[in-house]
Amino acid sequence: MLMPDTKSALLAALDWQIELGADEAISDTFQDRTSAPPPPKKAPAAPSSPATTSSVSTTEIAENCTDLVSLKTAIANHPHALREGARNCVFADGNPAARIMIVGEAPGRDEDMQGLPFVGRSGQLLDKMLASIDLNRHSEDSAKAVYIANILPWRPVANRTPSVGEAAEFKPFIDRHIALIDPAIIITMGNVSTKTLLDTKTGIMRMRGKWTEAPLGGKISPVLPMLHPAYLLRQPQDKRHAWADLLSLKSHLESQK
Ligand code: URA
């Protein structure tokens, strides 16, 4: 008989395969396609950006935050036009002791209503992706847990893409957030997060799946850019890339055990 842990892991993997479009068996013989590829060579560190005028004040405010509570209060109180169009400040979700920190773009409608990141359709897909490699934002086991935040804490009106200036202004807050969580691995979800945190103009389609190292949260951290689940909902054929990146993440985690 299967142990409950094994059974739920297999069901989560099956759930993700169905998301990938694998809805029928094409062979009677078992083929193991889950073996993770070896971790790729590390790319050179991304350079950090010069401070912009607009980020100077948020840098000072963020540096004075010594814990998550003070950071949350500072972000919620930071005056910004985006606040006017939003219901709730979306700070974070998950286990602060997690080894993995995911950084998304900005809250959408559901996140704005609930005050939590990734709780709408893309969040549900994200949870399935994580479950397929035995990760869960609410796990009490830090090795299996994930912590999630966004570049922007406020929902841009009509879900428009955040501007470069907005992302730059809030960058010191997410950088401090990363420092306080001190994760072993950072995942940048989608274009805005990847470009902002890695200080690059290269788009996510080129960056995804490529491990890099970046000066974030006061140290050099390994970063894995991944496709955003909202993009995967629109382009399901690209879920195969997300699967490859999840296997790479799994292999990286196993190599650190
Ligand atoms: N997309 C994001 O990038 N973040 C969320 O919290 C929700 C959707």
Side-chain angles (χ1 to χ4, degrees):
M1 202 175 84
L2 287 176
M3 298 299 288
D5 260 11
T6 317
K7 190 175 170 194
S8 59
L10 288 173
L11 283 174
L14 187 60
D15 216 13
W16 170 240
Q17 292 297 317
I18 292 167
E19 278 294 334
L20 289 170
D23 53 2
E24 65 173 308
I26 52 169
S27 165
D28 288 333
T29 38
F30 169 73
Q31 293 183 34
D32 184 6
R33 295 186 198 277
T34 62
S35 328
K41 289 199 184 102
K42 285 173 184 163
S48 63
S49 60
T52 61
T53 319
S54 65
S55 70
V56 170
S57 62
T58 48
T59 302
E60 283 166 10
I61 300 165
E63 274 171 4
N64 286 329
C65 298
T66 50
D67 55 26
L68 292 175
V69 175
S70 57
L71 181 66
K72 186 176 179 180
T73 307
I75 292 175
N77 291 338
H78 179 64
H80 197 281
L82 283 172
R83 271 170 63 171
E84 310 310 319
R87 278 193 181 84
N88 283 302
C89 178
V90 176
F91 181 66
D93 195 18
N95 181 346
R99 288 165 70 200
I100 302 171
M101 179 164 176
I102 294 177
V103 182
E105 177 177 314
R109 184 176 165 275
D110 296 302
E111 291 74 22
D112 182 40
M113 305 239 296
Q114 295 186 41
L116 290 170
F118 283 101
V119 288
R121 276 187 72 217
S122 61
Q124 285 157 21
L125 178 58
L126 175 61
D127 285 340
K128 280 187 190 175
M129 291 162 68
L130 296 173
S132 74
I133 53 164
D134 203 18
L135 297 175
N136 181 325
R137 66 172 96 182
H138 298 303
S139 175
E140 284 175 15
D141 176 353
S142 60
K144 293 185 173 183
V146 170
Y147 185 83
I148 307 176
N150 281 313
I151 298 286
L152 294 191
W154 304 106
R155 177 196 184 199
V157 172
N159 290 352
R160 68 166 169 75
T161 304
S163 70
V164 173
E166 285 166 341
E169 179 165 0
F170 282 94
K171 185 174 176 183
F173 285 130
I174 192 67
D175 192 54
R176 188 74 189 134
H177 208 150
I178 292 169
L180 292 170
I181 295 298
D182 193 21
I185 294 169
I186 298 165
I187 295 180
T188 54
M189 251 332 153
N191 231 353
V192 171
S193 173
T194 302
K195 286 183 171 176
T196 307
L197 292 187
L198 296 184
D199 226 338
T200 179
K201 289 193 166 43
T202 309
I204 186 65
M205 295 311 287
R206 285 185 166 205
M207 296 293 287
R208 64 139 282 272
K210 297 193 175 105
W211 286 93
T212 184
E213 292 195 328
L216 290 168
K219 65 175 197 187
I220 304 293
S221 296
V223 180
L224 177 65
M226 284 187 62
L227 297 175
H228 196 290
Y231 168 83
L232 295 173
L233 287 170
R234 294 192 302 274
Q235 304 290 339
Q237 74 280 4
D238 281 348
K239 285 180 182 167
R240 67 204 158 101
H241 296 312
W243 179 232
D245 299 346
L246 286 166
L247 289 179
S248 172
L249 173 61
K250 184 178 170 196
S251 143
H252 191 107
L253 288 168
E254 278 166 5
S255 73
Q256 287 188 334
K257 269 184 189 165

